[in-house]
Amino acid sequence: MIVGTVILTGSGEQGPRSFAGFTAQTVLTSSMEDVYPKGALVVSRRTDPNTLEVGDDITFMTSETTTITHRIIGIVEDYADTGQRAFQTQGVMNQAPDSQLVPAVNVVGKVVFHSYAAGKVVDFLKSSWPLLLFFLILLAVLIRVLRYIYRKDDGQSGDTGKHKKSKTQRENPLARWFPLKAKMIRRNAQQ
């Protein structure tokens, strides 16, 4: 979970990392505060730009390392005579539209999910992953030690425990837990 969080919400060389067409980012500004509070996790799905409409919230690239999530307020069908669409966007808390149109090639995807609580969890995992990893390793070691201790107490480990097992226990591993059943098995075997 920790590794997945760090990988999925990090940035790749050519924009945000994508997994099965989905990207995830945490909101860093308050330009969409009424919809996506600062710190919320926003998940976008890769979408054909021709299916986007006015009112859709999109995540788009403004540079190789910066993404923004704003709402589409207008569409230009033949942007700069390229035959491609471009989108006029605006943060719902901003007074004016964004100064630059967003070409279709810069669109990362359409927002399909958001959660403030998930955003806080992701931020915590991203900032505290070394500490969490340490505690997970410590927990794994503790579980291993406890298993070893309890096996030794049950007589399952060590040479002396192996030699003391009856023939029925060696043949039927459940005999240790169900001794009456083991006696019945022994009687049936003798008959």
Side-chain angles (χ1 to χ4, degrees):
M1 188 166 83
I2 294 169
V3 172
T5 299
V6 172
I7 290 173
L8 187 60
T9 60
S11 292
E13 292 177 9
Q14 298 295 321
R17 291 195 172 105
S18 176
F19 179 74
F22 292 89
T23 60
Q25 295 90 24
T26 51
V27 177
L28 301 177
T29 67
S30 57
S31 65
M32 295 285 284
E33 187 74 28
D34 282 354
V35 184
Y36 314 118
K38 187 175 180 180
L41 178 74
V42 175
V43 177
S44 301
R45 181 179 59 208
R46 189 176 326 135
T47 306
D48 180 5
N50 293 321
T51 63
L52 295 173
E53 301 172 351
V54 172
D56 288 341
D57 294 334
I58 59 170
T59 300
F60 57 91
M61 301 295 301
T62 58
S63 71
E64 287 186 8
T65 58
T66 306
T67 58
I68 294 178
T69 299
H70 279 175
R71 184 162 289 162
I72 297 174
I73 60 168
I75 300 174
V76 176
E77 291 298 336
D78 188 17
Y79 174 65
D81 295 325
T82 60
Q84 298 291 318
R85 290 178 125 194
F87 304 97
Q88 180 69 56
T89 57
Q90 180 177 350
V92 294
M93 301 301 289
N94 294 346
Q95 297 296 323
D98 298 336
S99 59
Q100 300 285 326
L101 291 175
V102 178
V105 296
N106 288 14
V107 175
V108 173
K110 179 180 175 180
V111 176
V112 293
F113 173 80
H114 70 283
S115 169
Y116 181 73
K120 288 300 176 188
V121 169
V122 166
D123 282 343
F124 176 74
L125 288 175
K126 284 173 69 175
S127 64
S128 303
W129 70 267
L131 182 63
L132 290 172
L133 191 59
F134 170 75
F135 281 119
L136 286 174
I137 292 170
L138 188 64
L139 180 65
V141 169
L142 180 63
I143 290 170
R144 181 99 178 179
V145 168
L146 289 174
R147 279 186 171 172
Y148 176 76
I149 289 170
Y150 283 112
R151 279 191 190 147
K152 198 166 197 164
D153 287 346
D154 288 342
Q156 287 185 355
S157 63
D159 291 337
T160 57
K162 288 181 184 175
H163 295 297
K164 289 184 180 179
K165 288 183 182 178
S166 70
K167 182 179 178 183
T168 306
Q169 285 176 324
R170 285 191 302 266
E171 292 172 356
N172 184 0
L174 294 177
R176 181 179 79 163
W177 299 102
F178 304 101
L180 293 176
K181 184 74 171 170
K183 287 180 184 178
M184 291 172 59
I185 292 171
R186 241 180 291 155
R187 268 192 227 137
N188 290 339
Q190 289 173 355
Q191 294 174 357

